[in-house]
Amino acid sequence: MTEYSISYSQGHDAPRWYLWDGGFLALGRSEGVVPPHAHHAIQIVISIDGTASIRGSHGDWRSGRGIIVRPDVEHSYNGQGSLGAMLMLDPESTEGTWLCTALAQEILLLPDAAFESCVSELRRFREQPFEGMEVGALIRHCVQSLCAGAPPTRRRDPRVTKVLNAIRASADLRMSVETAAAIVHLSPSRFAHLCTQQGGLPFRRYMRWRKLTRAMLAIARERTIAAAAQAADFADAAHVTRTFQQMFGIPPSTMMRGEFFEIVSPFEISR
């Protein structure tokens, strides 16, 4: 397959983006290969018609109607022109933590039966958005239907949860590891180790991810990358573009096609 930036159909099949601080749901028809990239979100793909293809950092392309990618896993993606839903889920959320416990593989192709109810609800929502489930309820329904067993009982260290909540509540995303450590009365080195141990990602990389999710909201509101850079404390538009491409494999300009809807986060941080 030739690798090139993903493109979205225009008109009726143009994407709709439902964004919140920490994730999004995109509904639309896409084609083209997204080159290797990795992001901190859990990625869920559900094709309403046709199939999508995925490839890890090693191995061949695999196709399916339902795909889940674990956080921070490098992969390439091709929507193959199918109409579908792409959901990016915060792994620190309750449902994200729950879903991760069932993911034995870095990239999982789902049997049709696992997401059958999601497909019908997504199709109904796309065709008649005011007659189906409310979008937040729909997102939770799709994620919870893919979670196996009971919610995990293992609790995150409350000090990490306290810092995560502080980051979410703050309009300023320039928090240093020293400032974060001081919130929970730990040394910077001890907190940095705890953060990586609990979240699987160094604190500075996590903050870069949070800045990017904040930038996505600004792109939706302002429709300019320069505004996104200012809102999310990036150096400039070029910095936003580089970070966006590293994490999503596509330039932020691709995201500007379609309609945007900002919603309240459907999820809470897991405790």
Side-chain angles (χ1 to χ4, degrees):
M1 292 184 180
T2 301
E3 295 194 344
Y4 55 100
S5 294
I6 195 168
S7 63
Y8 284 98
S9 300
Q10 302 299 312
H12 178 68
D13 287 331
R16 297 180 196 160
W17 301 83
Y18 299 87
L19 301 102
W20 61 93
D21 190 3
F24 66 82
L25 167 68
L27 283 170
R29 193 178 297 277
S30 65
E31 58 186 339
V33 178
V34 180
H37 61 285
H39 43 68
H40 189 52
I42 303 169
Q43 180 173 331
I44 301 172
V45 176
I46 298 174
S47 293
I48 298 172
D49 64 31
T51 60
S53 292
I54 193 105
R55 180 176 67 183
S57 55
H58 304 285
D60 299 326
W61 285 92
R62 296 184 292 161
S63 296
R65 294 186 62 212
I67 301 168
I68 305 179
V69 184
R70 288 184 65 93
D72 309 302
V73 170
E74 184 177 276
H75 61 285
S76 305
Y77 173 79
N78 185 353
Q80 300 191 142
S82 63
L83 175 63
M86 180 177 290
L87 175 61
M88 295 289 183
L89 170 65
D90 190 337
E92 280 75 43
S93 66
T94 300
E95 283 81 357
T97 302
W98 186 5
L99 184 57
C100 276
T101 61
L103 299 180
Q105 303 171 38
E106 290 187 340
I107 299 175
L108 178 65
L109 268 63
L110 300 167
D112 287 3
F115 55 89
E116 186 175 351
S117 65
C118 296
V119 170
S120 60
E121 291 294 344
L122 286 165
R123 181 182 291 111
R124 183 183 181 192
F125 177 79
R126 189 173 182 281
E127 294 174 353
Q128 300 174 309
F130 300 107
E131 297 183 20
M133 284 186 180
E134 181 271 331
V135 63
L138 173 62
I139 292 168
R140 287 191 298 274
H141 167 74
C142 288
V143 174
Q144 291 173 3
S145 68
L146 300 175
C147 295
T153 56
R154 182 179 67 85
R155 296 171 64 88
R156 179 179 289 109
D157 189 298
R159 293 168 295 185
V160 173
T161 299
K162 184 175 182 178
V163 171
L164 293 180
N165 282 324
I167 293 169
R168 278 196 170 191
S170 176
D172 185 353
L173 291 177
R174 290 174 292 182
M175 184 182 293
S176 65
V177 67
E178 290 79 13
T179 300
I183 291 173
V184 289
H185 309 293
L186 290 175
S187 69
S189 60
R190 172 60 184 145
F191 175 76
H193 174 76
L194 186 65
C195 184
T196 303
Q197 179 188 59
Q198 295 270 309
L201 196 67
F203 181 77
R204 288 184 177 86
R205 286 183 59 194
Y206 176 77
M207 288 302 297
R208 187 173 62 165
W209 166 249
R210 295 302 307 182
K211 287 170 66 174
L212 186 61
T213 60
R214 196 72 60 85
M216 291 179 71
L217 287 174
I219 289 173
R221 293 168 185 158
E222 305 294 336
R223 294 291 183 128
T224 72
I225 301 172
Q230 183 175 5
D233 193 40
F234 283 93
D236 50 32
H239 190 193
V240 174
T241 299
R242 286 195 304 271
T243 305
F244 201 101
Q245 288 195 276
Q246 288 169 2
M247 294 192 180
F248 291 117
I250 57 175
S253 56
T254 302
M255 181 188 165
M256 293 181 183
R257 303 163 191 166
E259 297 180 272
F260 291 98
F261 305 89
E262 187 173 340
I263 65 173
V264 175
S265 174
F267 309 109
E268 294 182 356
I269 289 180
S270 177
R271 298 184 180 278

